[in-house]
Amino acid sequence: MPQPLMGMDLAELREAAGPLQPPYRARQLYEALYRGRARDLARISTLPADLRQELASRYAVGLPEIATIYESSDGTRRYLLRLSDGRTVETVLMPEGERDTLCISSQVGCPVNCRFCMTALLGLERNLTAGEIVGQVLLAAPEKELGRLNIVMMGQGEPLLNLPHVLKATRILLDPAGFGLSPRRITVSTAGIVPQIAELGRAPVRPKLAVSLNASTEEMRRELMPITRKYHLKDLMEACKAYPLRPWEKLTFEYVLLREVNDTDADARRVVKLLANLNAKVNLIALNPGPEIPFETPDPGRVAGFQAIVRRSLPCFIRKPRGLDIYAACGQLKRAVTQIG
Ligand code: SAH
C-alpha cells in the first residue's frame, strides 16, 4: 500500500523526498499538495521527473474518496467521504452571500453521548488523521475565492479528544505555504473537555474556540450531556475564564434550544449570569429533530424571546438551520445510515 502524503508537514515531506534532494524540493511538494491541491504525484510539474516517479512508487496523495454528494434545496452540500479503511465520514459545505462555511469532522462517529445529537448514536469508531481532516477541506472547499471560506470543526466527533491531529491539520490549513487560511476563519467546537481546553490555549497556532453549553444548570447539563459527570459545568466555566483569547477573539457559546426543557426565560437569565465577565457571544440553535431524538423544537417565538433576554447583555445570534432536508444540519450527521426519504 502506498503511504499517504496528505497530512504530512514540511519535515515529514523532506524525509519522504529523501536525503539526496535539496531542501527546497520538500517545500515545492508541500505547496503543490496543499495550496496546489495536487491529485496525482506524477503530474506535479514543479518537481523533476525522476523525483515524481520515485515518490509515486512509494506514496500517494491520499485524499479520501467522494462516495456521495447530497444537495439540499437551500444550496447546502453534504459530502459522504470514504476513507482508506472503508469507513465513511461527512463534510458539509454551506454557501452563503458573502462567505462559504465548511463544516468538517474530526472523528468517525463520536464518543460523547449528547442526548439530542444523532452522531452520538454511532459511538466512536476512530480518530481522523491530520491528513483526513485536511483532505476534507481540499475535496469540499470551492477552488476559487478562498478568502470567503470559514471552516468549522463541528461535524462528526469531539475535536478536543483528537487534539494532536486537529492541531496538526490546523497548522497546515493556516500556513501561508500550506492552505493559507486566516486564523480568524477556523473554529473548533467542544462539548467541554476541560483539560484539553487549557491545552488548546497553549498551542501557538490554534483555531478559535466554541463551547457547546446547551444548559444553564449543572443538573440539566448532566442530563443532556452525560460528559458533564466527568467535566463539571463549574470547571468548564473556570477553564473558559482562564482561556487566553487573542486581541481580536471572542469565545463562542453554542446553546441548543429544546422545547420546554432548557428554553425558558429563567434559563436565558442563567446563561447571562454564567457568561458574565467573559468576552463571549452566544449562538442559539433550535433543535434539529431526528428519529430517535426524544426532544422537540421550540416555536420561533420562544427562540426569539430567549435571544432577546441574552442580547441585553452579550451578542446573541440564532443559527439558521442549513441542509435539513438532506440530514446535513447540526446534530444530524450520521452517514449513509440516514437515508433520505
Ligand atoms: N462535539 C463538538 C462538535 C460538534 S459541534 C461539540 O459538541 O461542540 C455540533 C453542534 O451542534 C454542537 O454545538 C451541538 O450542541 C449542536 N447540536 C447537536 N445536536 C443537535 C441537534 N439535534 N440540533 C441542533 N444542534 C445540535
Side-chain angles (χ1 to χ4, degrees):
M1 267 287 271
Q3 293 290 306
L5 292 180
M6 189 55 49
M8 287 192 181
D9 58 23
L10 200 54
E12 290 165 326
L13 288 179
R14 207 167 281 145
E15 229 163 84
L20 299 180
Q21 296 295 331
Y24 65 86
R25 289 292 180 216
R27 177 153 293 271
Q28 286 173 321
L29 179 55
Y30 185 84
E31 288 179 1
L33 267 183
Y34 300 118
R35 193 147 28 116
R37 302 195 196 196
R39 297 289 168 103
D40 181 356
L41 294 177
R43 293 171 66 176
I44 301 179
S45 55
T46 47
L47 300 179
D50 56 342
L51 177 58
R52 281 187 250 167
Q53 254 175 18
E54 161 71 14
L55 283 171
S57 69
R58 287 182 297 138
Y59 298 97
V61 170
L63 283 174
E65 182 193 320
I66 299 178
T68 320
I69 303 178
Y70 302 92
E71 303 232 17
S72 163
S73 55
D74 69 13
T76 299
R77 288 171 140 214
R78 177 164 69 101
Y79 288 79
L80 184 71
L81 302 179
R82 186 169 298 114
L83 309 171
S84 57
D85 64 354
R87 293 176 205 266
T88 54
V89 80
E90 291 157 298
T91 300
V92 179
L93 177 68
M94 295 162 277
E96 260 174 279
E98 71 271 23
R99 66 190 167 138
D100 296 327
T101 302
L102 187 67
C103 176
I104 61 178
S105 296
S106 56
Q107 298 181 311
V108 185
C110 186
V112 182
N113 207 6
C114 303
R115 288 185 52 218
F116 43 79
C117 181
M118 285 168 69
T119 308
L121 302 170
L122 296 171
L124 175 68
E125 291 189 25
R126 67 168 171 87
N127 282 336
L128 292 182
T129 64
E132 288 165 340
I133 296 172
V134 175
Q136 294 173 67
V137 180
L138 295 197
L139 281 175
E143 292 257 352
K144 296 207 181 80
E145 304 183 77
L146 267 192
R148 296 164 27 119
L149 185 69
N150 280 309
I151 295 183
V152 294
M153 286 196 207
M154 300 188 182
Q156 284 186 17
E158 168 48 52
L160 294 201
L161 291 178
N162 186 16
L163 193 53
H165 292 152
V166 161
L167 285 177
K168 189 176 185 201
T170 302
R171 288 192 294 271
I172 292 169
L173 291 170
L174 296 186
D175 186 343
F179 203 71
L181 216 69
S182 150
R184 295 164 192 250
R185 294 198 170 261
I186 175 162
T187 303
V188 83
S189 178
T190 182
I193 315 297
V194 172
Q196 272 80 350
I197 289 177
E199 194 181 331
L200 177 67
R202 287 191 293 268
V205 177
R206 60 187 150 98
K208 295 194 290 181
L209 178 61
V211 175
S212 298
L213 184 62
N214 297 338
S216 69
T217 64
E218 174 84 16
E219 301 72 58
M220 181 58 74
R221 200 167 192 273
R222 253 174 215 236
E223 199 167 301
L224 299 176
M225 304 175 74
I227 188 93
T228 309
R229 283 178 213 144
K230 192 159 175 200
Y231 302 116
H232 303 170
L233 179 57
K234 188 171 154 286
D235 300 331
L236 173 61
M237 295 320 299
E238 261 164 33
C240 291
K241 289 208 171 93
Y243 191 75
L245 291 170
R246 289 158 285 191
W248 44 267
E249 192 174 9
K250 274 185 193 306
L251 256 183
T252 299
F253 288 88
E254 295 148 288
Y255 194 101
V256 182
L257 287 163
L258 310 171
R259 184 190 175 114
E260 289 172 12
V261 174
N262 66 355
D263 65 345
T264 65
D265 286 355
D267 284 298
R269 286 192 290 268
R270 280 192 295 263
V271 166
V272 167
K273 231 180 175 169
L274 274 174
L275 305 186
N277 308 320
L278 280 173
N279 184 4
K281 68 170 178 171
V282 176
N283 281 345
L284 300 175
I285 319 171
L287 176 79
N288 297 313
E292 302 169 74
I293 299 300
F295 299 103
E296 288 170 35
T297 309
D299 301 329
R302 179 77 301 260
V303 177
F306 196 103
Q307 180 193 29
I309 292 174
V310 177
R311 213 163 45 183
R312 277 185 229 138
S313 305
L314 63 168
C316 179
F317 306 93
I318 298 172
R319 188 180 290 169
K320 201 168 56 176
R322 297 289 308 259
L324 270 173
D325 55 344
I326 54 162
Y327 281 96
C330 300
Q332 294 191 313
L333 298 186
K334 208 187 156 199
R335 307 174 306 173
V337 199
T338 309
Q339 289 308 321
I340 295 160

